[in-house]
Amino acid sequence: MKAFAVFVMVSASYACPWAVAGPDKPGATAVIRTVDVALPNGREAFPLGTGADLANAHCVICHSVGMVTRQPPLSFQEWKAEVTKMRAAYGAPFDADQIEPIARYLTVIDGKP
Ligand code: HEC
């Protein structure tokens, strides 16, 4: 990762429309620094498995994969309730017959032992 800094000196000039200086601050100087930062990458897709395609298609429209996979393990019934809630309460746009396949997949990747 490279980091660099740029210092821009803007000298005051009434002829220059973008000059930082004004009538009250003649000769003011602006120093602008830019810095590169690398943020950790979030997981962008669900782990492979039967039903992962459904989760990838329907569960990352509104939030991250991590919002789902960082939950404590749930039973199949609990995942079913969770997926049903996403559809009924938050309006997730998938058909009711996809609730069970998605819940089954989530139970495999993050189910109660
Ligand atoms: C239409 C938008 C939308 C879609 C699509 C969606 N969710 Fe959510 N989800 C939400 C909202 C809103 C929250 C609550 C976020 C918060 O509390 O900050 C949430 C939160 C969650 C949570 C955290 C626990 C909770 O109940 O708040 C889980 C787990 C979750 N969603 C799973 C899923 C799964 C699995 C799918 C795919 C079947 C899905 N979501 C699809 C909107 C959606």
Side-chain angles (χ1 to χ4, degrees):
M1 183 192 73
K2 63 179 172 350
F4 62 93
V6 177
F7 301 90
V8 179
M9 310 279 282
V10 180
S11 58
S13 163
Y14 292 119
C16 223
W18 44 266
V20 176
D24 53 329
K25 285 192 212 160
T29 301
V31 179
I32 301 166
R33 296 181 179 87
T34 64
V35 180
D36 274 352
V37 290
L39 298 173
N41 287 323
R43 191 182 243 291
E44 280 156 23
F46 281 90
L48 291 177
T50 307
D53 52 338
L54 290 174
N56 283 323
H58 301 302
C59 303
V60 289
I61 302 170
C62 306
H63 49 64
S64 65
V65 170
M67 172 73 105
V68 182
T69 56
R70 279 196 299 269
Q71 297 301 311
L74 301 177
S75 68
F76 172 70
Q77 288 304 327
E78 289 166 330
W79 272 123
K80 212 172 131 182
E82 188 65 34
V83 174
T84 300
K85 174 174 122 185
M86 293 303 132
R87 185 170 177 274
Y90 298 138
F94 51 83
D95 294 334
D97 64 3
Q98 295 184 310
I99 294 172
E100 289 209 359
I102 295 172
R104 219 171 292 128
Y105 166 73
L106 294 170
T107 311
V108 169
I109 63 158
D110 191 18
K112 273 184 181 156

